[in-house]
Amino acid sequence: MDFELDEQQRAFQQAARDFARDEMAPHAAGWDAQSFFPRDTLRHAGELGFCGLYAPVASGGLGLPRLDATIVLEELAAACPSTTAFLSIHNMAAWMVSTYAAEAIARRFGPALCSGVKLASYCLTEPGSGSDAASLRTTARRDGDAYVIDGNKAFISGAGATDVLVVMARTGGAGADGISAFLVEGDSPGIQYGRKEEKMGWNSQPTRAIAFDGVRVPAAHLLGEEGQGFRIAMQGLDGGRINIATCSVGAAQGALAAAQRYMHERHQFGRALADMQVLQFKLADMATELVSARQMVRLAAAKLDAKSPDAQVYCAMAKRLATDIGFSVCNEALQIHGGYGYIREYPLERYLRDARVHQILEGTNEIMRVIVARRMLQDQAPEAIR
């Protein structure tokens, strides 16, 4: 095993670090305070390939391994976890379109999505089906050369500001096998967007409900085959869980770096905080846990790249571990800052608010535990996960 980054990975890491420093960090607090969706910045990210990190090269993507994509997303999230989280969701949707759309549709939409000219939302969650995604009720009825979609989606990142919706809808009977996936243009007649949700964090990206009322979608916009949608959605979510875990690692890295700086700058009782052993120990624990989370995420990404049969369970473990540790590190970094950590002059409270939702979305951390436990008990052996 080689844990060192190769030359290409370091080049992508540096490009992402430079972009985060120059185009994200100076504006992240303002985007958060004003609930501003930085579309121009996202387009600039697309010019560097960051909107199609692991989408196929044939569709305009970089075709990177998931491992390399985590390196890029971590650097971006250290500057603005909220904007990077949207970018990670867009990457997931762009990969799904580029991979599963018919060739003509992939040629039409893939390059625009991978370049950031068009942005995408992922539409799975519904008001009545969150963790139980297979029970979704939105329907897609075949009508000639089109499908007619009716139903509602909830908590959709980017909704109302994106151009493409990847929608999961029921074309068959109950359960996962009755679900299909569709590419739906965001301005299609019959789509209504709800009010922009007021959220604890993730304020640089809008979140809305979407209502579909007789929305006609060309039959050619079906992704994969009928009944394949839930499997496509879950494949997307395996990568999405790695992405959101990486965003937590990046947020925690940003918070940890801020705490390191502050401990040298701040003096109490006649000495710098950096000279106080109790805070040295706290910092050491934060760094150790963060490294463990990063390595778990990279292991899961390597499993996904290798198409390992246990990749899904490793993605679940990585998502659970990294999002819990990421939030904890942000919280401890805020504590080190004392009262200053609680005010918006410093980035700690923003990191904390943005990182909290990572423990909920892309499958709650409780559901991640279910996935791991089922795999272990299914095999009836302690070697189920090694």
Side-chain angles (χ1 to χ4, degrees), residues 22-319:
D22 297 339
E23 299 206 38
M24 297 178 76
H27 310 293
W31 295 339
D32 174 69
Q34 299 165 26
S35 295
F36 178 75
F37 185 54
R39 183 149 190 155
D40 287 345
T41 301
L42 291 168
R43 188 176 293 110
H44 293 162
E47 292 170 359
L48 294 175
F50 297 163
C51 286
L53 287 168
Y54 48 89
V57 174
S59 294
L62 293 182
L64 294 180
R66 301 300 175 95
L67 176 58
D68 292 19
T70 68
I71 295 166
V72 171
L73 292 173
E74 180 184 334
E75 294 297 330
L76 301 179
C80 184
S82 170
T83 305
T84 306
F86 172 78
L87 190 63
S88 80
I89 294 168
H90 169 84
N91 266 275
M92 179 175 65
W95 172 79
M96 294 169 75
V97 170
S98 300
T99 302
Y100 288 102
E103 183 178 353
I105 303 303
R107 276 202 310 268
R108 177 183 168 194
F109 288 94
L113 290 171
C114 293
S115 66
V117 172
K118 289 184 182 292
L119 299 177
S121 293
Y122 176 74
C123 305
L124 176 64
T125 302
E126 297 185 2
S129 62
S131 296
D132 184 14
S135 69
L136 65 81
R137 300 178 65 181
T138 296
T139 61
R141 172 178 54 85
R142 184 67 184 257
D143 182 25
D145 60 354
Y147 286 88
V148 180
I149 299 180
D150 291 282
N152 298 277
K153 298 293 181 180
F155 305 124
I156 305 304
S157 294
T162 51
D163 311 284
V164 170
L165 310 175
V166 175
V167 180
M168 306 302 154
R170 189 167 299 285
T171 53
D177 289 341
I179 296 171
S180 300
F182 298 89
L183 183 157
V184 181
E185 296 191 67
D187 59 355
S188 299
I191 293 179
Q192 290 188 332
Y193 295 99
R195 66 177 179 85
K196 186 164 71 171
E197 302 288 357
E198 296 182 9
K199 306 184 298 266
M200 174 181 174
W202 272 27
N203 290 319
S204 69
Q205 53 168 296
T207 301
R208 291 184 173 90
I210 308 178
F212 298 87
D213 183 9
V215 178
R216 293 186 67 84
V217 179
H221 285 204
L222 176 70
L223 301 180
E225 300 176 357
E226 275 200 16
Q228 196 179 0
F230 192 76
R231 289 187 290 276
I232 292 173
M234 292 304 102
Q235 287 177 356
L237 280 179
D238 284 340
R241 286 165 182 162
I242 291 174
N243 290 349
I244 214 65
T246 299
C247 288
S248 284
V249 171
Q253 185 64 61
L256 181 64
Q260 289 175 266
R261 292 191 298 269
Y262 186 78
M263 284 175 62
H264 286 291
E265 296 166 359
R266 179 71 167 167
H267 288 71
Q268 290 287 278
F269 305 104
R271 55 183 178 150
L273 297 188
D275 294 330
M276 299 181 181
Q277 191 176 66
V278 65
L279 295 183
Q280 293 173 357
F281 284 4
K282 184 187 290 287
L283 200 72
D285 285 344
M286 292 159 65
T288 302
E289 291 173 3
L290 179 56
V291 169
S292 72
R294 177 181 293 116
Q295 294 308 117
M296 182 74 230
V297 170
R298 292 182 180 179
L299 172 60
K303 290 274 188 179
L304 199 59
D305 286 331
K307 296 181 172 56
S308 172
D310 56 2
Q312 183 181 62
V313 73
Y314 275 86
C315 290
M317 288 193 292
K319 193 269 182 183

